[in-house]
């Protein structure tokens, strides 16, 4: 029995000497130390031994078990240590490495221009209003002196939802909504930025959805010179102190008289170039004195009150300011385009 035990020890130590991996070590642990292993098997046979032999063989068996266990434990410790070291090496952080830059977002150029225009008018005492994009025919046309079948409705091809509801074709309905809300109160001094919709074919300068900013001032004694001074102040803050304006007679059903407003071309400072078609001027907005009928329909007595209004296309202003040649760039969200506005 003693020989069997010693042979077993020999065998176990030899196998342990060849162990390379933790699973192999575990296999050996199970094989020799487990309940069904040879050591347990031998010890079970001890009952057949004489009373003198039993403690001696018991001692040998314990020694064999202890010897095998010791080698297993030391191997286990070595594996544990190697694993810890490998993990530490893998998790090492080099605090001296430069950081990975987090990509920085930017305000969309249209939002930027809207904010800039808002800032300028807020600085002149205006408040910023909003109105619905799905609008009633009444506010979009009728209350702006554009009755049904008025030929000027053709200027703004519309997306109708029902006979009486459409996507607003301009921000002018907010004029009416604001005056109605103020119930004859003055001063009315608002601007209104927002999206508008027209049945246009998209190309480099047209889009079926674009952005406008509307302006409206109503009070006693508002004159055309107030409109002119306000717009001059605006364009000089927007495009630079040297900018001048030119007002050309025009027609809008909701203003009388009406004027289209040009600014000195910022590409050539007015000397004439491709952008301004050699005229030195660029059209940027429509404007005029609020039509007495519009005031009346909104609850203001045109004998007592007068006002001016204007409306401009934000895309056009952004295109002129940044030299953008295709309106579609604003909507396709190509990062190569948008990234150019991170620092402007
Ligand atoms: N609503 C006009 C358009 O979309 C622009 C406009 C012209 C607005 C004259 C005004 C204005 O307030 O007075 O074509």
């Amino acid at each position: 029995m003693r020989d069997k035990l010693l042979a077993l020890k020999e065998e176990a130590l030899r196998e342990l000497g060849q162990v390379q991996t933790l699973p192999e070590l575990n296999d050996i642990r199970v094989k020799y130390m487990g309940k069904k292993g040879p050591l347990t098997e031998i010890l079970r046979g001890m009952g057949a031994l004489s009373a003198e032999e039993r403690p001696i063989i018991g001692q040998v068996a314990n020694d064999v078990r202890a010897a095998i266990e010791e080698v297993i434990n030391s191997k286990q410790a070595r594996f544990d240590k190697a694993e810890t070291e490998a993990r530490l090496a893998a998790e090492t952080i080099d605090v001296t490495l430069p950081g990975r830059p987090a990509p920085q977002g930017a305000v969309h150029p249209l939002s930027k221009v809207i904010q800039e225009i808002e800032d300028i008018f807020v600085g002149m005492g205006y408040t910023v209003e909003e109105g619905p994009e799905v609008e009633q025919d009444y506010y979009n046309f009728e209350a702006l002196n554009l009755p049904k079948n008025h030929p000027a409705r053709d200027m703004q091809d519309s997306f109708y939802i029902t006979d009486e509801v459409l996507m607003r074709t301009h921000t002018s309905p907010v004029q009416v909504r604001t005056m109605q809300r103020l119930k004859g109160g003055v001063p009315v001094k608002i601007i209104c930025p927002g999206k508008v919709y027209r049945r246009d074919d998209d190309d480099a300068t047209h889009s079926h959805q674009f952005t406008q900013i509307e302006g409206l001032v109503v009070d006693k004694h508002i004159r055309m010179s107030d409109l002119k001074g306000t717009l001059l102040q605006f364009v000089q803050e927007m495009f630079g102190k040297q900018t001048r304006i030119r007002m050309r007679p025009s027609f809008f059903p909701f203003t009388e008289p009406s004027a289209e407003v040009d600014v000195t071309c910022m590409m050539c400072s007015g000397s004439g170039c491709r952008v301004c078609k050699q005229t030195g001027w660029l059209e940027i907005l429509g404007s005029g004195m609020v039509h007495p009928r519009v005031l009346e329909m909104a609850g203001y007595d045109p004998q007592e009150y007068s006002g001016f209004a204007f409306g401009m296309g934000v895309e056009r202003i952004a295109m002129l300011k940044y030299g953008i040649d295709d309106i579609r760039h604003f909507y396709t969200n190509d990062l190569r385009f948008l990234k150019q506005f991170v620092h402007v």
Side-chain angles (χ1 to χ4, degrees):
M1 204 163 216
R2 178 194 171 87
D3 290 345
K4 261 196 192 166
L5 281 167
L6 293 177
L8 186 69
K9 175 176 158 188
E10 254 341 64
E11 171 75 7
L13 294 184
R14 196 184 52 75
E15 278 192 44
L16 278 168
Q18 287 167 2
V19 162
Q20 303 280 1
T21 67
L22 192 58
E24 281 171 19
L25 182 66
N26 286 332
D27 287 349
I28 292 179
R29 192 200 319 269
V30 172
K31 178 171 168 191
Y32 288 98
M33 313 307 278
K35 284 204 173 63
K36 289 176 188 151
L39 196 58
T40 318
E41 187 69 31
I42 294 170
L43 291 175
R44 227 177 257 143
M46 295 242 301
L49 295 176
S50 67
E52 300 88 61
E53 270 180 321
R54 216 174 287 155
I56 299 168
I57 296 300
Q59 182 65 49
V60 175
N62 278 339
D63 289 350
V64 167
R65 170 187 280 277
I68 297 173
E69 241 166 26
E70 192 189 317
V71 178
I72 288 177
N73 288 343
S74 83
K75 289 242 168 201
Q76 178 76 48
R78 220 178 314 147
F79 282 129
D80 287 350
K81 190 165 168 238
E83 195 202 304
T84 307
E85 273 166 9
R87 209 179 50 233
L88 285 178
E91 288 175 0
T92 301
I93 295 170
D94 182 351
V95 294
T96 66
L97 278 177
R100 294 191 194 101
Q104 200 187 348
V107 178
H108 191 280
L110 281 181
S111 304
K112 207 163 231 173
V113 169
I114 291 172
Q115 281 168 12
E116 212 174 327
I117 295 173
E118 282 179 2
D119 277 355
I120 294 171
F121 281 101
V122 166
M124 292 194 267
Y126 287 66
T127 54
V128 180
E129 294 291 331
E130 280 184 7
E133 289 170 30
V134 177
E135 186 54 286
Q136 295 169 37
D137 183 279
Y138 175 77
Y139 289 107
N140 194 83
F141 289 130
E142 213 126 326
L144 289 166
N145 201 26
L146 272 144
K148 293 234 161 61
N149 301 319
H150 192 291
R153 283 195 179 204
D154 295 346
M155 285 161 66
Q156 303 184 356
D157 246 343
S158 322
F159 289 115
Y160 272 91
I161 293 166
T162 68
D163 280 352
E164 294 301 328
V165 178
L166 72 162
M167 302 305 291
R168 69 178 175 195
T169 57
H170 50 180
T171 42
S172 303
V174 183
Q175 291 188 26
V176 181
R177 286 180 172 276
T178 305
M179 286 190 281
Q180 279 191 357
R181 188 169 49 75
L182 294 178
K183 294 192 166 66
V186 286
V188 182
K189 208 171 170 190
I190 58 128
I191 55 163
C192 165
K195 296 192 188 86
V196 300
Y197 303 82
R198 291 195 195 170
R199 263 176 350 130
D200 257 335
D201 288 330
D202 293 358
D203 61 25
T205 52
H206 295 84
S207 170
H208 62 281
Q209 183 213 295
F210 60 104
T211 319
Q212 284 190 335
I213 293 190
E214 191 80 13
L216 172 70
V217 173
V218 179
D219 206 339
K220 284 184 174 158
H221 312 303
I222 298 293
R223 297 168 303 178
M224 195 134 185
S225 52
D226 297 314
L227 170 65
K228 188 178 172 190
T230 301
L231 293 178
L232 183 62
Q233 177 71 22
F234 162 65
V235 300
Q236 292 192 341
E237 284 194 50
M238 192 73 196
F239 299 111
K241 261 272 161 263
Q242 72 294 340
T243 314
R244 295 156 50 79
I245 59 171
R246 179 174 83 165
M247 298 177 94
R248 282 179 290 105
S250 183
F251 172 78
F252 298 103
F254 31 89
T255 44
E256 183 58 37
S258 304
E260 276 173 308
V261 176
D262 300 342
V263 290
T264 27
C265 176
M266 49 231 78
M267 305 298 162
C268 62
S269 307
S271 58
C273 68
R274 198 176 50 83
V275 175
C276 60
K277 301 198 177 87
Q278 311 305 328
T279 63
W281 296 98
L282 293 165
E283 186 204 319
I284 59 154
L285 57 82
S287 66
M289 301 308 291
V290 181
H291 196 290
R293 293 262 311 130
V294 173
L295 287 172
E296 206 167 11
M297 281 187 277
Y300 286 78
D301 179 357
Q303 299 299 326
E304 196 177 351
Y305 297 109
S306 54
F308 67 73
F310 56 86
M312 60 187 114
V314 179
E315 281 81 353
R316 181 163 165 80
I317 292 188
M319 287 167 84
L320 294 173
K321 193 171 160 91
Y322 297 121
I324 297 163
D325 60 4
D326 194 321
I327 196 170
R328 290 167 292 198
H329 285 311
F330 291 118
Y331 317 116
T332 43
N333 286 330
D334 186 329
L335 284 179
R336 291 167 301 179
F337 172 73
L338 295 176
K339 275 183 176 165
Q340 298 176 60
F341 300 93
V342 174
H343 298 296
V344 294

